[in-house]
Amino acid sequence: MATKKHSPAHRTASRPRTKARGGPALKTVPNEIAARYRTGQERTVRDALAPFGSVETYPLQRMVVLHRAPGLATARVQAALDHLQRVGLVEFVTPVLLDPDSNARQVLTDEIVLRLKPGHTQRTLAALKAEHGIQIGRRNKFEPSQYIVKVRRPSGTQTLDVARSLDQSEDVEFASPNFLTEIKR
């Protein structure tokens, strides 16, 4: 199966868009759902989902995107995905989103790009961690006030919800989901 090229969107402009501060909202792509599988489980997950439609794989991100077959009940697909999560083959499931400005498909990950306002410290990070249940990941070596943080339970749109909440904090310059974004050529 051919793999389309996707790239994480590391937006470092002054205000990345979480859609929390205006602009058109991201829309769910009908009949598409993404799942991050555990290391080494790509084939098992792909084979388990194949009866439900076509499956795109993105091995570098450990993600699959299922294009649900026409007429197939959503509940059947959800039951299969729930089972894959229960048995530990899938880490999380999230809808595929569409950015209406670029018409590009985007998949949420468990990461958020977070930049603190000037003068805010590690104490601010600790407070945000406690308030939002995030895990502080790596620091941007070129922009010391910018971090990649992880959402503990990223299923559904939880990453987007946490990013919107962080983006509203008075200590935060911006917070944006670290999407996997379709590259159009």
Side-chain angles (χ1 to χ4, degrees), residues 10-11 111-116 120-125 128 134-141 143-150 174-176 178:
H10 292 278
R11 293 184 176 131
E111 296 181 339
I112 296 170
V113 180
L114 170 74
R115 184 180 295 173
L116 299 175
H120 290 271
T121 65
Q122 294 292 329
R123 202 168 69 220
T124 302
L125 274 178
L128 292 172
I134 56 175
Q135 177 184 355
I136 308 302
R138 59 193 184 276
R139 185 178 197 177
N140 184 323
K141 64 182 177 182
E143 178 58 55
S145 64
Q146 188 168 305
Y147 299 83
I148 298 291
V149 299
K150 290 191 174 238
F174 69 77
S176 178
N178 199 9

Side-chain angles (χ1 to χ4, degrees), residues 65-143:
V65 173
L66 172 65
H67 301 263
R68 186 166 45 96
L72 186 66
T74 304
R76 283 188 57 206
V77 173
Q78 192 59 54
L81 289 165
D82 290 345
H83 172 74
L84 290 171
Q85 280 186 285
R86 269 193 315 278
V87 298
L89 298 175
V90 166
E91 292 177 3
F92 65 89
V93 176
T94 185
V96 176
L97 304 171
L98 184 70
D99 181 338
D101 293 340
S102 66
N103 208 33
R105 292 183 319 154
Q106 297 182 319
V107 175
L108 289 165
T109 67
D110 58 345
E111 296 181 339
I112 296 170
V113 180
L114 170 74
R115 184 180 295 173
L116 299 175
K117 287 184 177 173
H120 290 271
T121 65
Q122 294 292 329
R123 202 168 69 220
T124 302
L125 274 178
L128 292 172
K129 179 180 176 180
E131 182 180 348
H132 298 280
I134 56 175
Q135 177 184 355
I136 308 302
R138 59 193 184 276
R139 185 178 197 177
N140 184 323
K141 64 182 177 182
F142 301 108
E143 178 58 55

